[in-house]
Amino acid sequence: MGKREKEETKRVRMKQSPGTTNIFKKDGMRLLLLALPFVMIVIAFFYVPLFGWLYAFIDYKPGIPLSQSPFVGLKYFHILAEDWSTLARVLRNTLVMSFLGILCAPLPAVFAILLTEIPSARIRKLVQTTTTIPNFVSWIIVYSLAFNISTGGVFNQVAMKLGILSEPSNILANEDAVWYFQTALGIWKSLGWNAIIYFAAIAGIDGELFDAASVDGAGRFQKILHITIPGISSTFIVLLLLSASNILSVGLDQYLVFHNSMVADKIEVIDYYVYRLGLITNDYSYATTVGILKTIVSVTLLFSINGLSKKIRGFGIV
C-alpha cells in the first residue's frame, strides 16, 4: 500500500505541476508589470544623470553648448589631487559626522524595544506619533528653533540659572561643539522615523516565544535579551551595513542651513562642498569631478561591505 500511495502522489504532482507553473508565470508577469514603473523611475533619476559625468572631462562654461566646450581630459582630476588639503578637510568632516551617526545607530532599535514594552496602547501611539513628527519638519524650521533657543533663549536662561554657564553662549557659532550638536539634531529629527522598521521587525516575532518564556518564568528583561534582540538583529545589521556603505552621503539640507563663517571649517561636508563648487562658484566641471570621486568611493565601500557580509553571515545585502 505504501508504494501505491507514493505512485499516486507522484501522478497527482505530475498532473498539477504544469498548471502550477503557469500560475507562477502569470503571477511573476503581473509582479514584473507592477514593478516596471518603479524601475523606470530609478533608471530616470539615478542612471540617466550619469550622463552628466561628461562635464568632468570638458571645460564647461554656462551658456556654451556642450558640443562646443573644449575637451580637457583628466585636467580636473589633477587639480583635485593638487587641492588635496581642502578635500581632506571636507572628507574629515564628512567621516566624523558619519561615524557619529553610526555610533548612534542602535538608538532607534533601543527606542523601539522600550516603546513596545509600554503596556498602554494609547501612550505607545502618542509617543510614536510625537517622535515621528520631527522627521517631516523642514531643516529651516529646525534652524529657527535652534536659533531662538541658543541665542539668548531658553537654553541659556536655564543653563545660567543652574550654574552651568556663567554667560550666554551661542552654540550655533561654537566650532568645538558643531559635530556633536549636528549629530544630536539629526537624532532628534530621525529617531522616531527610523524606529518604525524596528517596530515592524518586533511585530514579526512569533508571540508564542514570549508565551513560552513567560511559562518558563522569564522576566521582561530576559525576554528582551533572549527573544526581542535576536529577533531584530538581522534588521539592525542590514541597516548598519547600508549606513556604512553610504558613509560619504550625509546629506546637504542640514549643513546648508546651519553653515556660517564661525563653524565653516567643521561643518562643510562633501555634499555641501560640491554644492558650493557647482552652484556658488559655477565651477561645474570640478564639482562633477568631486562628485565622481564620492560615487566611486561609495560604490567601492558598498561592494566591500557586501563581500564582508557574505563571508561573515553567509549572505550579502546586494
Side-chain angles (χ1 to χ4, degrees):
M1 294 295 291
K3 293 182 179 179
R4 291 181 180 178
E5 290 177 355
K6 290 181 181 179
E7 292 177 356
E8 290 178 0
T9 303
K10 289 181 180 180
R11 291 175 183 175
V12 171
R13 288 179 179 176
M14 291 296 290
K15 291 180 180 179
Q16 291 179 349
S17 58
T20 306
T21 304
N22 292 331
I23 292 173
F24 286 144
K25 287 182 178 179
K26 291 180 180 179
D27 291 340
M29 185 58 65
R30 290 175 183 174
L31 293 175
L32 179 62
L33 293 176
L34 287 173
L36 190 59
F38 301 99
V39 174
M40 298 301 295
I41 290 174
V42 170
I43 293 174
F45 287 95
F46 289 94
Y47 290 97
V48 173
L50 292 178
F51 174 76
W53 281 12
L54 183 62
Y55 288 94
F57 303 96
I58 61 174
D59 190 8
Y60 176 76
K61 302 296 180 184
I64 301 176
L66 194 63
S67 59
Q68 298 179 12
S69 300
F71 180 78
V72 295
L74 300 177
K75 170 186 174 181
Y76 291 102
F77 290 91
H78 292 300
I79 295 176
L80 181 64
E82 293 173 357
D83 193 27
W84 178 250
S85 59
T86 302
L87 186 61
R89 174 180 59 82
V90 173
L91 286 175
R92 177 203 64 187
N93 297 335
T94 306
L95 292 174
V96 169
M97 296 287 191
S98 296
F99 279 123
L100 289 175
I102 291 174
L103 288 176
C104 298
L107 292 180
V110 174
F111 174 73
I113 293 173
L114 295 177
L115 191 58
T116 53
E117 292 298 319
I118 296 177
S120 175
R122 291 185 178 180
I123 296 178
R124 284 202 306 268
K125 291 180 180 179
L126 177 63
V127 174
Q128 185 176 357
T129 303
T130 304
T131 54
T132 304
I133 288 176
N135 181 74
F136 303 98
V137 177
S138 170
W139 276 111
I140 298 176
I141 298 176
V142 175
Y143 173 78
S144 301
L145 295 173
F147 181 81
N148 291 325
I149 292 173
S150 63
T151 56
V154 178
F155 174 79
N156 282 312
Q157 292 179 6
V158 174
M160 290 177 66
K161 287 182 179 180
L162 295 176
I164 300 175
L165 296 177
S166 58
E167 58 183 10
S169 175
N170 184 6
I171 195 171
L172 298 180
N174 189 344
E175 188 180 28
D176 296 329
V178 61
W179 289 339
Y180 310 105
F181 180 63
Q182 296 302 320
T183 302
L185 287 177
I187 293 171
W188 169 80
K189 197 171 186 298
S190 62
L191 180 65
W193 178 259
N194 291 336
I196 291 176
I197 191 169
Y198 292 107
F199 290 134
I202 293 172
I205 299 175
D206 191 356
E208 294 182 357
L209 295 175
F210 294 99
D211 295 336
S214 299
V215 172
D216 291 339
R220 181 174 296 181
F221 179 76
Q222 291 175 323
K223 292 178 184 178
I224 293 174
L225 185 62
H226 298 288
I227 299 177
T228 306
I229 293 179
I232 65 173
S233 60
S234 58
T235 303
F236 174 76
I237 291 174
V238 170
L239 294 178
L240 184 63
L241 292 177
L242 290 174
S243 299
S245 63
N246 291 321
I247 197 170
L248 295 182
S249 299
V250 294
L252 170 65
D253 299 349
Q254 177 181 0
Y255 307 103
L256 175 63
V257 171
F258 283 90
H259 185 277
N260 60 71
S261 58
M262 301 296 292
V263 297
D265 188 59
K266 292 287 188 70
I267 202 172
E268 188 174 21
V269 295
I270 193 167
D271 290 323
Y272 180 83
Y273 183 59
V274 172
Y275 161 80
R276 181 169 64 83
L277 288 174
L279 298 181
I280 297 180
T281 63
N282 294 326
D283 195 351
Y284 296 100
S285 298
Y286 187 53
T288 304
T289 305
V290 177
I292 290 174
L293 175 64
K294 173 192 170 184
T295 302
I296 293 174
V297 173
S298 298
V299 172
T300 303
L301 283 173
L302 175 62
F303 283 99
S304 299
I305 294 173
N306 185 65
L308 182 64
S309 176
K310 287 182 178 179
K311 289 183 178 180
I312 296 176
R313 304 169 61 221
F315 58 93
I317 57 178
V318 179

